[in-house]
């Protein structure tokens, strides 16, 4: 079974530019999550999709971040315009169960975003 | 929001030594999880704890869910080079839907 796939693995962009991150969850997993780790800090929840619907987007930092999951398969996270503080590693995770946090999700390898 | 304080931040140990790290919270969690992140990879679940006082082992790893439900520890016995990585605790509260609250991580380096 293929795991959670994220790309790109690395992205370096200039402040003010736009970047789109993509996540392909494990096939059949309705629940998809985005998390972010800013250097040296905790991994922080951004949002949770159930199929194509946003179940919880309480962790999204501001309106420069837009997440979509059209068709309930892969998801994209767009940052526009990017700021320096957006630098970090963005993780995607998926689970079959709605209460995925209870049993632990499967994480992707992450996208390391550097805004210069 | 909920915060987890994880310590130590980093550890440098020799191969064969035992390691202990812990996590404390100001609020109660119903589930504690421990993850490990290898360099360039995403976090991988090591151990999940579901009951206060529970002690669970997974090979050389042992984790406990504190009685107060506000803390957890992870022990690694007889460390080996492949134990290198960042260890994260995470708490889950049924009141927070499906999201996990993570600690800041403990970076473990093992020298030969």
């Amino acid at each position: 079974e293929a795991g959670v796939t994220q790309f790109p693995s690395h992205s370096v962009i200039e402040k003010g530019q736009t970047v789109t991150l993509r996540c392909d969850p494990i096939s059949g997993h309705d629940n998809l999550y985005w998390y972010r780790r800013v250097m040296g800090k905790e991994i922080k929840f951004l949002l949770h999709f159930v199929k194509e619907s946003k179940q919880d987007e309480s962790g999204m930092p501001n309106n420069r971040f837009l997440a979509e999951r059209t068709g309930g398969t892969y998801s994209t996270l767009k940052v526009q315009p990017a700021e320096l503080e957006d630098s970090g590693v963005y993780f995607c995770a998926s689970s079959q169960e709605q209460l995925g946090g209870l049993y632990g999700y499967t994480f992707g390898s992450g996208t390391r975003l550097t805004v210069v | 929001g909920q915060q987890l304080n994880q310590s130590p931040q980093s550890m440098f140990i020799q191969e064969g030594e035992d390691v202990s790290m812990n996590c404390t919270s100001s609020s109660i969690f119903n589930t504690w999880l421990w993850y490990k992140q290898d360099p360039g990879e995403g976090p991988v679940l090591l151990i999940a704890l579901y009951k206060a006082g529970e002690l669970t082992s997974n090979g050389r790893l042992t984790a406990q869910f504190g009685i107060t439900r506000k803390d957890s520890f992870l022990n690694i016995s007889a460390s080996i080079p492949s134990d290198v990585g960042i260890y994260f605790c995470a708490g889950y509260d049924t009141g927070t839907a499906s999201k996990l609250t993570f600690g800041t991580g403990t970076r473990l380096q093992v020298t030969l």
Side-chain angles (χ1 to χ4, degrees):
Chain A
E1 167 182 83
V4 177
T5 308
Q6 290 186 248
F7 47 96
S9 55
H10 291 82
S11 180
V12 181
I13 62 170
E14 289 187 352
K15 178 181 161 177
Q17 289 187 323
T18 297
V19 63
T20 300
L21 314 181
R22 173 168 167 150
C23 169
D24 286 70
I26 292 173
S27 178
H29 281 193
D30 288 339
N31 296 275
L32 186 149
Y33 315 84
W34 283 98
Y35 281 80
R36 173 175 77 170
R37 186 178 192 227
V38 169
M39 176 123 74
K41 301 215 168 166
E42 73 273 28
I43 300 173
K44 268 191 141 167
F45 170 83
L46 295 178
L47 89 160
H48 169 207
F49 281 102
V50 178
K51 296 186 181 176
E52 67 274 8
S53 300
K54 289 174 188 170
Q55 179 79 6
D56 181 355
E57 52 183 330
S58 61
M60 294 288 264
N62 51 59
N63 59 11
R64 295 185 293 103
F65 289 75
L66 175 64
E68 294 181 319
R69 193 182 181 197
T70 310
T73 54
Y74 70 90
S75 174
T76 57
L77 180 65
K78 184 195 285 191
V79 186
Q80 177 183 33
E83 298 288 345
L84 299 178
E85 66 264 24
D86 301 332
S87 296
V89 181
Y90 289 76
F91 291 107
C92 175
S94 73
S95 71
Q96 207 156 34
E97 308 83 8
Q98 176 112 12
L99 298 179
L102 189 59
Y103 306 108
Y105 331 114
T106 302
F107 279 90
S109 299
T111 294
R112 181 175 293 279
L113 174 65
T114 304
V115 183
V116 297
Chain B
Q2 293 168 317
Q3 274 192 307
L4 295 185
N5 298 308
Q6 188 171 346
S7 65
Q9 274 192 320
S10 63
M11 303 180 76
F12 291 80
I13 61 166
Q14 287 202 317
E15 185 178 6
E17 287 185 358
D18 296 343
V19 171
S20 187
M21 58 192 81
N22 68 76
C23 223
T24 58
S25 169
S26 56
S27 50
I28 286 170
F29 287 102
N30 297 313
T31 299
W32 282 91
L33 306 124
W34 285 92
Y35 283 83
K36 183 195 176 197
Q37 184 188 2
D38 288 325
E41 300 295 326
V44 172
L45 182 66
L46 298 174
I47 289 182
L49 302 154
Y50 298 107
K51 217 159 81 164
E54 180 181 354
L55 186 72
T56 296
S57 292
N58 178 6
R60 294 178 296 106
L61 308 179
T62 302
Q64 182 153 33
F65 189 150
I67 290 286
T68 64
R69 293 197 281 155
K70 291 183 179 182
D71 62 321
S72 176
F73 73 73
L74 175 72
N75 287 342
I76 306 172
S77 63
S79 58
I80 59 178
S82 61
D83 290 334
V84 164
I86 305 176
Y87 292 78
F88 291 97
C89 61
Y92 174 74
D93 175 6
T94 48
T96 58
S98 197
K99 63 186 172 196
L100 294 176
T101 301
F102 281 87
T104 49
T106 294
R107 182 180 292 275
L108 179 63
Q109 306 263 43
V110 180
T111 56
L112 301 174

